[in-house]
Amino acid sequence: MGIKQSLLSSIGQKLLLATSGLIMFFLFLIPHMGGNVLFLFGPEIFNSYAHHLHQLVPIVIGIEVLMLVSISVHMIMAFRVVLTNRAAADKRHSQKASRERSLAARLMPVSGIMIFIFIVKHLLDFKFYEKATTTLHAGEQTYDVYAMVLGRFQDDPTHLIVYVLFMVAVGLHLSHALQSSLQTYGLFVPREGSKIKLASKIIGYGMAATFAIIPIAAFIK
Amino acid sequence: MSDKINLTLKVWRQNRGEDGRFEIYEAKDIDTDASFLEMMDVVNEEITLAGGEPIAFEHDCREGICGCCGTLVNGKTHGSHERTTLCQLHMRHFEDGATVVIEPFRAKAFPVIKDLIIDRSGLDAIIAEGGYISVKTGNAPEASTTPIKREMAEAAMDAAVCIGCGACVAACPNGAAMLFTAAKVSQYALLPQGHPERAQRVKNMVSKMDELGFGNCSNEYECAVACPKGIDVKNIARLNREFIKANVKKA
Amino acid sequence: MVTLDAKIPEGPMAEKWTNHKFKVKLVNPANKRKHKVIVVGTGLAGASAAATMAELGYKVEAFTYSDSPRRAHSISAQGGINAAKNYPNDGDSIYRLFYDTVKGGDFRSREANVYRLAEVSNQIIDHCVAQGIPFAREYGGYLDNRSFGGAQVSRTFYARGQTGQQLLLGAYGALAKEIKKGGVEMHTRSEVIDIVVIDGQARGIISRNLVTGELTRHEADAVVLATGGYSNVFFLSTNAMYCNASAAWRAYKKGAAFANPCFTQIHPTCIPVHGEYQSKLTLMSESLRNDGRIWVPKAKGDKRPANEIPEDERDYYLERKYPSFGNLVPRDLASRNAKEVCDEGRGVGATGNAVYLDFADAIERLGKEAIEAKYGNLFEMYNRITDEDPYTTPMRIYPALHYTMGGLWVDYNLMTTVPGLYAIGEVNFSDHGANRLGASALMQGLADGYFVLPNTINDYLASARIPKIGTDHEAFAEAEQAAQDKLDQLLAIKGSRTVDDFHKELGNLLWENCGMARNEKGLKEALEKIPQIRAEFWKNVNVPGSADDLNQALEKANRVADFMEFAELMVKDALNRAESCGGHFRDESQTEEGEALRNDDEFCYVAAWEFQGLENEPALHKEELQFEEVKLSQRSYK
Ligand SMILES: Cc1cc2nc3c(=O)[nH]c(=O)nc-3n(C[C@H](O)[C@H](O)[C@H](O)COP(=O)(O)OP(=O)(O)OC[C@H]3O[C@@H](n4cnc5c(N)ncnc54)[C@H](O)[C@@H]3O)c2cc1C
Ligand code: HEM
Ligand code: HEM
Ligand code: SF4
Ligand code: F3S
Ligand code: FES
C-alpha cells in the first residue's frame, strides 16, 4: 500500500478528515472566537483588534489559504466517507435500534453542510461587504468592523435567528467531532462514562454558545 | 418457573434471486425456558407439517461460540440482551402476545443467501490477508522461550474471543467491519509473536476490508453494544494507531 | 476381505515414532505439487492437516459444510489441551501422559499410538504459542497450567474457558494463510456426501454445494476424513447441531472398517433436559466438581425445594460410595451413579432426571467472591439458561452424550482399511480406548493434523501406484447418481413426520437402551426397533423444498438417514462387547460393588466391523491389543 493509497483507505480518509477539521478548529475557530468575544467590550477594543489583525496580512493570508485547503480536503473526504458509508449499509432493515449513536453523530453530514452554507453566507455578510471606516483613539484610520456587526443584527431578528440556528449546527458538529477525531487518531475514547466525550460536548456546545452571544448582544444593544 | 407464551413472528423470507418479503407466523405455546432458536425450531416443525418450507436460519453450536447464529430481533442484533448471542437468548424475556420482527443481519457486504442466512465470507477474506502469524508447522521454538506479560496475554485474549458473527457489521450504521478487523489486529499487535508482520498485516487487512465494500468507521460505537463477546472499541483505536504507525514507519 | 495390519513400528516404545519417521518414504519437493489431497472437515484436525500439507507443497482441497472453517465443532471445547511439558515441575513426563491415557482409556487403545500422542503433545504447545494463541499466563509471564480429571499432575494448557476456540482459530489462521497463498482450495458450504473408491484406492469425493444443491466430483491422490464424532446419533448431546456420522458412514460402506462404535463418552455435568422442544444439551465444565457437592434426597419422590430438605435427609451418594475420590470420580462413574439414583426415583427437578450440584458449603467455606472468581462465567451461563441462581439454589445437572471414542479403524499411519483413505481427529477410533480423559481430544486432533498425518501420508503418496483417472470415470458417475437418487427419494416421500421427529425417536431409544448402562435385553430390543424406525423413516418422513436450493431439512434428512443405519452397528458392537470398560458399561459385567468389570481374556481387542451390505451382518475383525509398557489392571477409585 503506497502512501496515497493509505490516505485514501477508509482509515486514511478519516485521518484526513480529522486532521483538516482540527486544523480549522485550532488555527481558526478558537482564535476567531477569542477575537469575536472582544465585541462585547465595545467598539474601541474590537476595532483595534480587527485593526491589528489586518496588519498581520501575511499571516492572515497564510491562515486563509490553509483554511481554504482544509475546508476543501475536509469536505471532499466528508463526501467520500459519507457516500461509501451509505453504499455499505443496507438500509432495508425494517427497524434498527440505535443504542449508542448520538444525535450529533447521526447529524454530522447535515451539520457539516449547514456549516458550509453558514460560511458562505457569513463571508457575504462580513468579508465581501462594503465596510465603513472609523478612527481609533490612537488616531489611526480603520474599518469599523464593530459597526458592521452591530448593523447586521440590530433590528433584524431574522438574521439573528438564522445565526443562532447555524451555531446549533456548529455545536452539534463539534460535540461529536472533537472526541471522534481523537479515536480516529487512535487515542482511545471509551464508550461508557468517558470524560473525553463529556469534554467534547462541553467545548463544542460551549464554543457555539459563545459565538451565539455576539449576535444576541448586537441585537440587544 | 416456566410458562407458555404466544407470539406473532414477522419473519423475512427470501429465495435466491428474489427481493424478499416479510411473512407472518404464529408461535404458539412456546415454553419460556426455550431458547430463541428452539422457538424457531418449533415454528419450523409446524410450517413443515402444514406443507410449507421452514425458515432457513444459521446455527450450529447453540452455545454462543461458533458465531453461526444471529438475526435482527426487533431491530437489535442477536436480540435484546447485551453480550448474548441469539442462541443464548431465552423466551422468558418476551411478553406473551408480542409481535417479534426477525430479519437477517444486513450490510452490502453481507448479501442474503436465503431467508435469514447471509453470506459472511467477507470476514474470512479479511482474515486471509493477515489474520494469523505465518509460522510453519515445525518452525516453533520452545513455548516458554518468550515470557509474555500476563496483562498483555489477557488483553490479547479479550480481543481474540471474537466469534466472527458479523453483528458488529449489521449494527454499524456504516456497515463497517472495523470491530471485527480491529479485534484480530489487536490480538497480534499485543503479542510479541505478531510483531514481525505487524505493519503489513494492518495495511493488508484494512485494504481488503475497503475492497469488499465494508464502510468507514465514524466512531458510532454501535458495534460494541451489539458485540455478543464484548469486544471493546479500544481495539478500534488500536487498529487506527497500528495503521498510522505502519504508514509512518515506511514513509 | 479386510485385514487389520496396525503397522506398529519396531523398536522400543520411546523410539518407534522417531524410527518410523526415518523409514517413511518421502516425496521429493518438486513432485509434491503434483499430488492432490482432499481434506474433508476443517475442525482442529482437518484445518491443521490441510494447512500443514499445503506448507509441505501438496495441493490441498478442503471441504466443510459450514460457511467458514472457523465454525467447526472444535470451537466449543472449553477446558483445555494436555501436554507433557512438566512446567509445574510436578513429576509429569511423556511417559506419564502416555501411562495416564492408556489407563484412563481402560486398556482398549493401542500403546504405540498413545505413546506417539504423548510425544508430540509438547510440539503442539510450542506451535500454538508461536501462532499467537493467548494461553493463560502467570504473573511472571510464563504459561499457566490447570489440572483435569484422571490425572494427578497439572498438564492442561488453557485459554480461559475457550481453549477450543483459540486453538481452532489458530489452525484456521494457518489454513487462511495457505488459502491466500493458493496451496489450499477451500470449499465452504460444501458437504461431502460420498467417497469414491476405485480399484481399492480412495480416489475422490462427491460434494454437494449447500447453496445451489449442485453435486460436484473431486479427484485426488488421497482423501483425509476429519469429520468429527457421532454423538448426535443420540439426538441430544453436547455436540454442535450439525455434527454427524455421514462421511465416516459412507467410508464404512465403501470398505473402511469401523472400530468400537459402542465406545461413547457421557459427561456427568450438563444442564438437564427441560422440555420436548430441547435441541441440544449444554456442558458445564467438569471443574465445578472441585467445589460442588452432588446429592439427591434420601426419600423417593421428595419434591420439596432443595433448601427445605434438611441435611440428614440428603444423600451425598458419591462421597458415600467413593470416600477417597468423592465428587471427583471419573466421568463414567459420576454419570452412571447419577442415572442410578434417578432410576430409583430420587432424581430432582420437574422431570426427575437431575441431581443437585450444591455450592452452599463451598460458599460458606471460601466466600461468595472466591466462588465467583472461579466459576463466575459458568454460573452466569447456567443462570441464563435456567433462570435460577446457583449461588442460592443448588444447580441441577444430568449426564449427557459428549464424545465418541469409536470411529474409523486406522493403522499407525492413520490410514483406514481403504488405501489412500485417512481418518484423523475424533472421526478415527483414536487413541482414547474406551474412555477419553479431559483435554485430550484437542491434543489428539492437533497431533494428527499438524504432526502425524503430514509425515505418514508421504509414505503412501511416494510408494503407491496412483494412476490419473479423471472425474469422468464411471465410479464418479455412479456415486454422483446414487447421491442424487437418494436425495430425490427423500424429497419424494412427503410423509407426515418431520426429520427431527424421527431423529428424536431414534435418539431416545439409544439413550434408554445403549446409553450409560447397557444390557443384553435392552440392546436386543434396540436391534429390533432400529430397523422399524428406519423403515418408517423411509416411508413417512416429510422433507420439504427441493434439491437444487439451500435446503436445511434435506441436509438433515440425509444425515439422519445415515444415523439410522449407523445406530444399528453401534448397538451390535455394544451387544458383542459383553464386558464393561470405560464408557461402555454392561449391567452383566460388574463387580459386587457395582463397578465396571473388564474382561481382558475375551475382549482385549479392538472390534473393527466390515460392511457386508445392509441386509447382511457386518463382519467382525479383531485387532488384539498388546500391553508391553502399562500393565493391565482394574481401575479403582474407592
Ligand atoms: C462441549 C464440548 C467441550 C469439549 N471440551 C474439550 C476440552 O476441553 N478438551 C478437549 O481436549 N476436548 C474437548 N472436547 C472434544 C473436542 O472438542 C472434539 O473432540 C474435537 O474438537 C474434535 O475435532 P475434529 O477436528 O476431529 O472434529 P470437528 O471439530 O467436529 O470438525 C469436523 C469438521 O468436519 C466437517 N464435516 C463433517 N462432516 C462433513 C461432510 N460430510 N462434509 C464436509 N464437511 C464435513 C465439519 O464442517 C467440521 O469442519 C469437547 C467437546 C464438546 C462437545
Ligand atoms: C469549522 C468547520 C469544521 C470543523 C472544525 C470540522 C471538524 C470536524 C472534525 C474534527 C471531524 C471529526 C473527524 C473524525 O471523526 O475523526 C469532522 C467530521 C465531519 N465533518 Fe466537519 N468540520 C467542519 C466543517 C465541516 C463542513 C463544512 C462539512 C461538510 C460539508 C463537514 C462535514 C463533516 C462530516 C460529514 C464529518 C463526519 C464524517 C464521518 O462520518 O466520520 N465538516 N468535522
Ligand atoms: C456568530 C458569531 C460570529 C461573528 C459575530 C463573526 C464575525 C465575523 C467578522 C466580523 C468577520 C470579518 C472579519 C474581518 O473581515 O475582519 C468574520 C470573518 C469570518 N468568519 Fe466569522 N463570525 C462568527 C462566527 C463564525 C463561525 C462559527 C465561523 C466558522 C464556522 C466563522 C467563519 C468566518 C470566516 C471563514 C471568516 C473570514 C475570515 C477571513 O477573512 O479570513 N465565523 N466573522
Ligand atoms: S467483533 Fe463481536 S460482533 Fe463483531 S464479529 Fe466479532 S464477536 Fe461478532
Ligand atoms: S458502529 Fe461503526 S462507525 Fe465505527 S465504532 Fe463501530 S464500526
Ligand atoms: S449457534 Fe453458535 S453462536 Fe449461536
Side-chain angles (χ1 to χ4, degrees), chain B residues 162-168 179-180 227-228 231:
Chain B
C162 164
I163 58 175
C165 62
C168 47
L179 193 62
F180 171 82
C227 178
I231 308 276

Side-chain angles (χ1 to χ4, degrees), chain C residues 5-10 13 16 20 110-113 412 623:
Chain C
D5 177 4
K7 304 215 172 86
I8 299 169
E10 298 296 312
M13 197 55 77
K16 283 184 196 294
H20 190 65
R110 197 186 287 148
E111 273 192 336
N113 284 49
Y412 190 75
E623 179 195 343

Side-chain angles (χ1 to χ4, degrees), chain A residues 53-54 56-68 127:
Chain A
L53 199 63
H54 282 203
L56 300 170
V57 172
I59 297 179
V60 171
I61 289 185
I63 290 184
E64 279 179 358
V65 170
L66 193 61
M67 270 295 283
L68 206 61
K127 190 168 167 81

Side-chain angles (χ1 to χ4, degrees), chain C residues 13-316:
Chain C
M13 197 55 77
E15 288 162 30
K16 283 184 196 294
W17 178 230
T18 314
N19 290 344
H20 190 65
K21 276 190 289 186
F22 179 70
K23 285 200 186 126
V24 159
K25 292 199 194 63
L26 297 179
V27 178
N28 114 19
N31 282 338
K32 283 212 174 87
R33 69 197 141 75
K34 295 187 192 147
H35 291 287
K36 189 196 272 179
V37 181
I38 283 177
V39 179
V40 188
T42 50
L44 278 178
S48 56
T52 306
M53 289 190 294
E55 283 168 10
L56 291 173
Y58 291 118
K59 272 208 306 207
V60 177
E61 266 191 76
F63 294 80
T64 173
Y65 50 60
S66 303
D67 71 321
S68 159
R70 68 182 293 150
R71 313 225 189 267
H73 163 63
S74 295
I75 201 106
S76 50
Q78 304 169 347
I81 177 167
N82 286 334
K85 285 284 191 189
N86 192 28
Y87 288 153
N89 194 25
D90 55 1
D92 201 6
S93 63
I94 289 172
Y95 196 86
R96 187 179 292 279
L97 176 54
F98 157 69
Y99 178 90
D100 287 348
T101 308
V102 170
K103 181 166 174 251
D106 220 359
F107 301 93
R108 290 296 172 263
S109 49
R110 197 186 287 148
E111 273 192 336
N113 284 49
V114 178
Y115 195 91
R116 173 177 65 189
L117 175 65
E119 205 177 331
V120 299
S121 68
N122 291 341
Q123 278 171 280
I124 297 173
I125 301 303
D126 296 343
H127 186 59
C128 290
V129 167
Q131 279 181 335
I133 286 165
F135 282 119
R137 293 190 177 252
E138 295 172 339
Y139 281 107
Y142 291 96
L143 291 157
D144 192 18
N145 287 118
R146 60 161 67 139
S147 54
F148 237 79
Q152 284 157 313
V153 292
S154 286
R155 62 159 74 101
T156 306
F157 294 79
Y158 65 101
R160 293 201 192 138
Q162 287 121 298
T163 317
Q165 179 198 28
Q166 294 310 312
L167 296 174
L168 181 62
L169 293 182
Y172 156 74
L175 185 64
K177 160 175 77 76
E178 294 304 315
I179 293 172
K180 162 95 175 144
K181 280 199 189 136
V184 177
E185 190 185 334
M186 185 69 224
H187 303 268
T188 55
R189 295 193 194 273
S190 298
E191 180 155 6
V192 170
I193 58 179
D194 210 353
I195 290 142
V196 179
V197 177
I198 297 172
D199 295 332
Q201 287 173 308
R203 293 309 309 274
I205 52 130
I206 305 293
S207 155
R208 178 166 184 270
N209 178 324
L210 297 183
V211 177
T212 63
E214 193 194 354
L215 298 179
T216 48
R217 307 170 185 182
H218 303 266
E219 182 193 355
D221 297 352
V223 176
V224 179
L225 297 185
T227 51
Y230 51 82
S231 296
N232 275 352
V233 66
F234 289 83
F235 186 74
L236 287 180
S237 84
T238 62
N239 282 22
M241 300 293 288
Y242 283 9
C243 291
N244 66 81
S246 288
W249 189 245
R250 302 300 163 86
Y252 168 75
K253 286 172 99 173
K254 290 284 167 98
F258 208 114
N260 299 336
C262 78
F263 286 170
T264 52
Q265 181 171 72
I266 289 172
H267 198 288
T269 51
C270 301
I271 300 178
V273 179
H274 37 79
E276 254 305 294
Y277 53 82
Q278 184 113 13
S279 59
K280 78 158 284 186
L281 295 170
T282 304
L283 178 83
M284 297 303 287
S285 169
E286 202 156 16
S287 60
L288 290 170
R289 285 199 279 143
N290 282 314
D291 286 301
R293 296 180 70 195
I294 294 176
W295 64 275
V296 289
K298 281 186 177 157
K300 283 183 192 172
D302 188 341
K303 287 286 161 208
R304 284 175 294 174
N307 309 353
E308 289 172 21
I309 300 180
E311 200 56 38
D312 61 346
E313 290 178 39
R314 301 177 177 192
D315 179 12
Y316 295 89

Side-chain angles (χ1 to χ4, degrees), chain C residues 550-605:
Chain C
L550 191 155
N551 187 341
Q552 291 174 309
L554 179 62
E555 293 164 27
K556 174 105 208 242
N558 202 23
R559 294 172 196 149
V560 171
D562 288 331
F563 278 146
M564 294 275 173
E565 297 175 7
F566 167 73
E568 204 174 337
L569 184 70
M570 182 170 89
V571 175
K572 272 186 187 142
D573 186 46
L575 185 62
N576 171 65
R577 194 171 282 278
E579 66 159 348
S580 296
C581 63
H584 171 66
F585 185 83
R586 284 285 298 261
D587 292 337
E588 300 91 338
S589 181
Q590 44 180 311
T591 62
E592 271 169 27
E593 296 100 14
E595 299 307 323
L597 185 63
R598 259 191 0 247
N599 179 348
D600 292 327
D601 295 336
E602 286 180 69
F603 293 103
C604 196
Y605 64 76

Side-chain angles (χ1 to χ4, degrees), chain C residues 494-627:
Chain C
K494 301 214 182 311
S496 62
R497 289 176 61 190
T498 59
V499 178
D500 266 4
D501 195 10
F502 280 106
H503 194 180
K504 281 182 195 173
E505 186 183 353
L506 178 72
N508 267 335
L509 176 71
L510 293 176
W511 180 245
E512 290 305 326
N513 295 24
C514 193
M516 274 182 278
R518 303 150 175 190
N519 58 50
E520 190 176 335
K521 184 167 158 284
L523 292 168
K524 285 195 166 147
E525 183 188 275
L527 277 183
E528 244 169 69
K529 284 195 184 154
I530 293 168
Q532 289 164 12
I533 301 177
R534 188 165 64 220
E536 163 84 358
F537 174 85
W538 281 103
K539 268 210 306 280
N540 198 18
V541 72
N542 180 331
V543 186
S546 74
D548 53 8
D549 188 13
L550 191 155
N551 187 341
Q552 291 174 309
L554 179 62
E555 293 164 27
K556 174 105 208 242
N558 202 23
R559 294 172 196 149
V560 171
D562 288 331
F563 278 146
M564 294 275 173
E565 297 175 7
F566 167 73
E568 204 174 337
L569 184 70
M570 182 170 89
V571 175
K572 272 186 187 142
D573 186 46
L575 185 62
N576 171 65
R577 194 171 282 278
E579 66 159 348
S580 296
C581 63
H584 171 66
F585 185 83
R586 284 285 298 261
D587 292 337
E588 300 91 338
S589 181
Q590 44 180 311
T591 62
E592 271 169 27
E593 296 100 14
E595 299 307 323
L597 185 63
R598 259 191 0 247
N599 179 348
D600 292 327
D601 295 336
E602 286 180 69
F603 293 103
C604 196
Y605 64 76
V606 176
W609 301 88
E610 186 192 1
F611 186 64
Q612 306 284 350
L614 258 193
E615 316 72 40
N616 306 317
E617 282 297 301
L620 172 63
H621 303 279
K622 298 177 183 176
E623 179 195 343
E624 299 293 340
L625 293 169
Q626 254 84 49
F627 291 90

